[in-house]
């Protein structure tokens, strides 16, 4: 996310925060308008439910409004905002104590005794026409359902790193983890989702 | 596959490899293994494709009612 929202000559977030703290209410509105789509998408990806994601987006900006005076510029505004949104999504997920989802562990790669892939190259690949073969809406539902099946431990770093495209160090800062731990968890999520996507070749559109 | 590295070890190190977090000798061993192993070539390609496919499939747009409720919140603040 670094650089995307502030690309070109757009006023930096941190400058808008300063204006807001100096009494310019419109500066807060600009921050909301600038970030609302990304906060919604983050919440939607973390929660898998549109209505919950809408509530969490709203809650996030209410919290940001209340807490902005305590923003210390120790991190980027966007990192701080994403931390609030991620925590709000986590609270919402816990509150709803969702139904137990089936683990994705069966999609892990298998190896023989020598450590060689048990599957063939064709079985290991993701069908190149997957995105054309499946209706976009169906693909979105299936993929989001698979993301939903990841344990929280892997889902959050994966969504932030690979879907929201924050860099690994920013994700580590946001989640309060070591960089190596973020890498390990994102890797685990990729491994499971890769296996899931390669299994979709059996699915007829 | 080459003698010195098994597919399983390469898979374990893949994220570190892609983030350039491995020492050069290990990078070289992974690269020579993958170059000679069609299963790993397919695995690495699908591993690299996964984030993009998931990202594009879940690029959800904010619904108009959320835009409205955020505007209500912003107006209510003044």
């Amino acid at each position: 996310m670094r650089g995307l929202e502030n690309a070109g000559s757009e006023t930096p977030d941190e400058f808008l925060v300063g204006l807001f703290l100096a009494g310019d209410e419109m500066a807060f509105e600009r921050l909301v308008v600038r970030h609302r789509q990304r906060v919604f998408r983050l919440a939607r990806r973390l929660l898998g439910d549109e209505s919950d994601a809408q509530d969490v987006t709203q809650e996030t900006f209410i919290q940001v409004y209340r807490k902005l005076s305590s923003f210390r510029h120790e991190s980027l505004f966007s990192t701080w905002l994403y931390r609030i949104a991620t925590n709000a999504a986590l609270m919402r997920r816990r509150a709803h104590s969702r139904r137990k989802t089936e683990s994705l562990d069966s999609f892990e790669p298998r190896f023989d005794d020598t450590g060689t892939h048990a599957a063939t190259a064709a079985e290991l690949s993701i069908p190149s026409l997957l995105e054309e073969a499946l209706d976009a809406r169906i693909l979105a539902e299936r993929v989001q359902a698979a993301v939903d099946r990841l344990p929280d431990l892997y889902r959050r770093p994966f969504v932030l790193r690979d879907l929201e495209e924050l860099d690994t160090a920013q994700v580590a800062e946001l989640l309060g983890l070591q960089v190596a731990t973020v890498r390990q968890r994102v890797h685990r999520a990729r491994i499971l989702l890769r296996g899931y996507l390669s299994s979709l070749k059996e699915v007829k559109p | 596959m080459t003698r010195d590295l098994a597919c399983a070890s390469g898979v374990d190190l893949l994220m570190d490899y892609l983030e350039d977090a491995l020492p050069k000798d290990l990078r070289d061993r992974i690269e020579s293994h993958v170059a000679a192993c069609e299963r790993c070539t397919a695995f690495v390609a699908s591993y690299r494709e996964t984030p993009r496919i998931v990202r594009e499939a879940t690029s959800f747009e904010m619904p108009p009612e959320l835009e409205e409720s955020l505007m209500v919140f912003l107006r209510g603040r003044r």
Side-chain angles (χ1 to χ4, degrees), chain A residues 37-47 81-83 85-86 89 156 159-160 164:
Chain A
Q37 169 61 42
R38 298 197 70 151
V39 169
F40 169 75
R41 207 174 44 208
L42 168 67
R44 179 76 173 77
R45 284 165 163 164
L46 287 171
L47 291 162
L81 168 68
Y82 264 38
R83 186 183 296 126
T86 304
R156 272 172 285 154
V159 166
L160 291 164
E164 299 302 329

Side-chain angles (χ1 to χ4, degrees), chain A residues 25 29 117 161-162 187, chain B residues 19 39 47 55 77-78:
Chain A
E25 288 278 323
E29 196 161 324
H117 278 292
R161 169 68 180 77
D162 278 353
H187 174 66
Chain B
E19 293 232 324
R39 295 177 189 210
Y47 179 95
R55 185 165 58 245
R77 210 170 31 90
R78 289 183 197 146

Side-chain angles (χ1 to χ4, degrees), chain A residues 25-26 28-29 36-37 40-41 44-45 50 54 57-58 61-62 65 109 111 114-119 121 124 126 131 140 143-144 147 161-163 165 168 183 186-187 190-191 193-194, chain B residues 1 6-8 11-16 18-19 21 38-40 42-43 46-47 49-63 65-67 69-71 73-74 77-78:
Chain A
E25 288 278 323
M26 282 307 289
F28 180 74
E29 196 161 324
R36 60 191 177 183
Q37 169 61 42
F40 169 75
R41 207 174 44 208
R44 179 76 173 77
R45 284 165 163 164
E50 182 172 282
Q54 288 192 52
T57 306
Q58 184 97 359
F61 285 112
I62 291 170
Y65 185 70
F111 303 96
T114 65
T116 303
H117 278 292
L124 287 167
I126 296 173
E131 291 150 292
V143 169
Q144 180 60 52
V147 172
R161 169 68 180 77
D162 278 353
L163 306 189
E165 299 183 275
T168 306
R183 281 202 195 111
V186 172
H187 174 66
R190 284 183 189 175
I191 289 282
L193 292 171
R194 188 217 68 81
Chain B
M1 62 172 267
C7 304
V11 167
D12 285 344
L13 296 169
L14 201 45
M15 174 96 185
D16 291 336
L18 293 173
E19 293 232 324
E38 64 164 7
R39 295 177 189 210
C40 281
F43 187 89
S46 61
Y47 179 95
E49 275 285 84
T50 295
R52 181 194 63 76
I53 294 173
V54 177
R55 185 165 58 245
E56 289 181 6
T58 61
S59 284
F60 302 106
E61 289 295 321
M62 181 176 72
E65 59 264 34
L66 175 60
E67 200 169 317
S69 63
L70 284 172
M71 288 317 290
F73 158 61
L74 288 170
R77 210 170 31 90
R78 289 183 197 146

